[in-house]
Amino acid sequence: MKKTNASILVIDDQEDILFASKMLLKKYFENIYTLNNPKNVVELLAKNTIDVVLLDMNYRIGFEDGKEGLYLLREIKMLSPKTIVILMTAFGKVETAVEGLKAGAFDYILKPWENEKLLSVVKQAVDKSRKEQKKSNDFGIAEEFFVGNSDIIKKAYSLADKVAKTDANVLILGENGTGKYVLSHHIYCQSERKNNPFIHVDLGSLNSNIFESELFGYAKGAFTDAKVDTPGRFEMAQNGTIFLDEIGNVPLHLQSKLLQVIQNKTVTRLGESKARPLNVRIITATNLNLKQAVVDKNFREDLYYRINTMEIVLPPLRERDEDKIPLAHYLLRKMIAKYGRDEITFNEKALEQIAKHAWNGNIREMENRIERAVILCENNHITVSDLDLGQITTYEENQDDIQLSAVEKTAIEKILFKNNNNISKTAEELGLSRGALYRRLEKYKIN
């Protein structure tokens, strides 16, 4: 029987699961990788092209809520968007598996599995991976991302092209959804480090308790679950580029640790005393006003100047009127390729609404609305109702709501800090129920 030329990665902390899956899958697929430590997935994905990942959802005894698996799922999809992920769980937590499907997983299986079922799901995933790769190739290398023709965006990319040839640290500023990740990856691709790793770290999603272990790594025995020596994200980016997204969300007490690594160009793993040399290009990004944060004593001034050798500001979409329609057509082509649809067009009124809409969520909002429209439209024509943008509003009309949200977020953060992150005390002081507070924590991405 001829094996399928595909690379499969199995991630599970149980060695018997890894052994059994490898013995089964290697009969049908060329390359089988296994990991018993999920922390190493970033390094493996940086060095190998993986078609399908079989990902366990739980890694610590007593913690069976699947949160670690969901976190890893999002990390994998961010690091390798074309990799197809299948979730595995021994606990039959269907609601958690469904949450994983919403987050981008292809399917899930329950352990212990039936061999025929596992093989069937993996084969379907490999087929999907092949189709995704073909769509990507058909879409064309020249259209991997959209820049635009407005003077303001061309100026930003011109500056990026100049700084890309150097090793200068870059700070990218811009609202959510303006394309900060895309620009950071563009800088990496234009640099001399393009053949070395590009490691993306979403600092906003890192709990302060795991901040150091994730970024700097740890030695075996450094803490309870530290079973093997594990490099951090900085080491994984060695000779390449590390992109620290949401740098403005790093708590003040951790900024000094980050500064030390950037300043000394060395990293020391938790549980070790030996400093390891680093050769890493650093790109950071935030949607916050860091200058004001420095004035307010919420961001270290010395760290600000270390990361800000060159500053690039990405404009919001409302300041790029001439780019709205071309961007919409670009995103439409992208979604047609993604879903394998026949040629679809916007009708005239839909284009009028796209041009007038404030797009306060920027490119991310437009992509979301167009993807929805491609799924729903009939007769291959996207209408106003397919876009579902609601009442046309201007940027200025939304400013009061935006400012109130900023005030509420700041108030919650201050009271949380005062109460040492005690949810009950904070909710009581704010006059909220615990549920209402949790909803606000999720809304404002407060960890």
Side-chain angles (χ1 to χ4, degrees):
M1 180 181 63
K2 186 177 180 180
K3 294 182 181 180
T4 300
N5 184 20
S7 296
I8 315 295
L9 168 63
V10 185
I11 309 175
D12 198 297
D13 59 346
Q14 299 181 49
E15 292 294 341
D16 56 338
I17 294 292
L18 296 178
F19 179 79
S21 59
K22 186 171 185 177
M23 290 299 101
L24 173 64
L25 295 172
K26 74 177 186 178
K27 299 176 184 176
Y28 302 91
F29 305 100
E30 286 289 347
N31 302 304
I32 309 298
Y33 301 87
T34 60
L35 282 180
N36 64 1
N37 185 351
K39 303 291 186 183
N40 295 334
V41 68
V42 175
E43 185 176 20
L44 191 145
L45 287 175
K47 295 179 179 178
N48 302 277
T49 299
I50 302 297
D51 297 293
V52 176
V53 172
L54 283 163
L55 175 65
D56 186 34
M57 298 193 71
N58 300 286
Y59 294 89
R60 290 181 294 166
I61 296 174
F63 292 84
E64 301 173 1
D65 55 12
K67 288 185 178 179
E68 288 175 298
L70 292 172
Y71 174 80
L72 281 166
L73 166 64
R74 295 185 181 98
E75 286 284 284
I76 292 168
K77 297 304 289 183
M78 184 69 73
L79 289 165
S80 182
K82 294 183 180 65
T83 297
I84 308 300
V85 180
I86 300 168
L87 301 175
M88 300 188 297
T89 178
F91 305 103
K93 297 283 187 180
V94 175
E95 64 274 15
T96 306
V98 170
E99 188 177 348
L101 296 179
K102 291 179 180 178
F106 172 70
D107 204 344
Y108 70 94
I109 60 172
L110 301 179
K111 297 186 295 184
W113 61 73
E114 297 179 3
N115 286 350
E116 293 77 10
K117 170 67 175 175
L118 178 64
L119 284 172
S120 174
V121 174
V122 173
K123 287 177 180 177
Q124 290 175 44
V126 169
D127 287 342
K128 180 176 175 61
S129 175
R130 294 289 182 265
K131 290 177 182 177
E132 291 295 326
Q133 291 172 22
K134 184 178 184 302
K135 288 177 185 177
S136 177
N137 292 335
D138 290 344
F139 193 55
I141 296 174
E143 293 189 300
E144 285 184 354
F145 69 96
F146 177 87
V147 176
N149 293 313
S150 60
D151 289 339
I152 193 168
I153 194 66
K154 287 196 291 187
K155 181 179 179 181
Y157 269 85
S158 174
L159 184 56
D161 288 339
K162 290 177 182 177
V163 74
K165 304 303 180 185
T166 74
D167 265 347
N169 293 339
V170 180
L171 172 63
I172 304 174
L173 301 175
E175 296 176 7
N176 286 333
T178 50
K180 296 188 289 294
Y181 173 86
V182 172
L183 181 61
S184 70
H185 197 262
H186 174 75
I187 293 172
Y188 158 74
C189 290
Q190 302 303 312
S191 74
E192 298 297 324
R193 296 174 180 265
K194 62 185 177 184
N195 294 320
N196 294 313
F198 176 81
I199 302 298
H200 172 218
V201 186
D202 182 0
L203 296 175
S205 67
L206 280 187
N207 186 290
S208 59
N209 294 329
I210 63 170
F211 180 89
E212 291 182 76
S213 61
E214 285 288 327
L215 286 184
F216 312 141
Y218 53 85
K220 179 180 179 181
F223 48 86
T224 304
D225 290 330
K227 299 176 182 177
V228 295
D229 292 339
T230 302
R233 304 297 179 87
F234 272 97
E235 282 186 74
M236 294 174 187
Q238 187 72 286
N239 299 319
T241 300
I242 189 167
F243 174 47
L244 303 176
D245 203 358
E246 304 295 351
I247 186 75
N249 289 349
V250 177
L252 199 59
H253 69 281
L254 294 174
Q255 291 176 21
S256 60
K257 299 178 184 296
L258 188 57
L259 173 65
Q260 188 175 11
V261 170
I262 296 173
Q263 186 169 272
N264 297 337
K265 296 183 179 180
T266 61
V267 64
T268 304
R269 294 181 183 179
L270 289 177
E272 289 187 349
S273 58
K274 179 181 68 174
R276 300 168 184 263
L278 281 179
N279 176 18
V280 175
R281 205 268 181 83
I282 297 169
I283 303 176
T284 56
T286 183
N287 61 348
L288 301 179
N289 184 337
L290 284 192
K291 289 182 180 178
Q292 187 59 48
V294 170
V295 172
D296 295 338
K297 307 297 183 184
N298 292 323
F299 199 86
R300 292 180 62 114
E301 185 175 17
D302 45 6
L303 177 58
Y304 173 73
Y305 287 115
R306 281 289 177 185
I307 63 176
N308 191 17
T309 305
M310 181 62 68
E311 179 179 293
I312 303 175
V313 180
L314 280 176
L317 197 50
R318 62 181 172 274
E319 295 178 7
R320 301 170 54 189
D321 283 342
E322 60 264 61
D323 289 333
K324 287 181 181 179
I325 299 301
L327 174 61
H329 285 302
Y330 162 79
L331 293 173
L332 178 59
R333 293 195 303 273
K334 181 179 176 182
M335 292 307 158
I336 289 171
K338 177 178 180 179
Y339 290 102
R341 292 288 302 267
D342 296 329
E343 190 63 29
I344 297 173
T345 59
F346 297 105
N347 70 17
E348 187 175 343
K349 289 186 177 180
L351 286 173
E352 288 176 3
Q353 193 178 50
I354 287 170
K356 293 177 182 177
H357 191 62
W359 298 112
N360 293 318
N362 295 297
I363 299 170
R364 191 173 299 150
E365 180 190 357
M366 185 183 284
E367 183 173 31
N368 175 273
R369 294 293 84 192
I370 290 176
E371 182 169 13
R372 176 187 186 278
V374 167
I375 294 170
L376 295 179
C377 76
E378 298 178 356
N379 302 319
N380 291 335
H381 292 291
I382 292 176
T383 65
V384 169
S385 62
D386 294 327
L387 290 170
D388 191 29
L389 296 178
Q391 183 179 354
I392 296 294
T393 56
T394 65
Y395 172 70
E396 289 76 13
E397 288 171 337
N398 284 295
Q399 284 311 287
D400 289 342
D401 289 340
I402 293 170
Q403 290 169 4
L404 284 172
S405 294
V407 170
E408 184 177 49
K409 179 184 179 184
T410 301
I412 291 172
E413 289 175 330
K414 287 182 178 179
I415 296 172
L416 263 177
F417 181 76
K418 186 180 79 171
N419 292 323
N420 294 317
N421 290 326
N422 186 300
I423 296 295
S424 297
K425 287 183 179 179
T426 301
E428 182 179 356
E429 190 167 337
L430 288 167
L432 300 170
S433 67
R434 286 171 59 91
L437 177 56
Y438 276 122
R439 285 192 292 274
R440 283 166 172 77
L441 295 177
E442 183 177 0
K443 174 183 177 182
Y444 297 126
K445 297 182 180 179
I446 301 173
N447 294 319

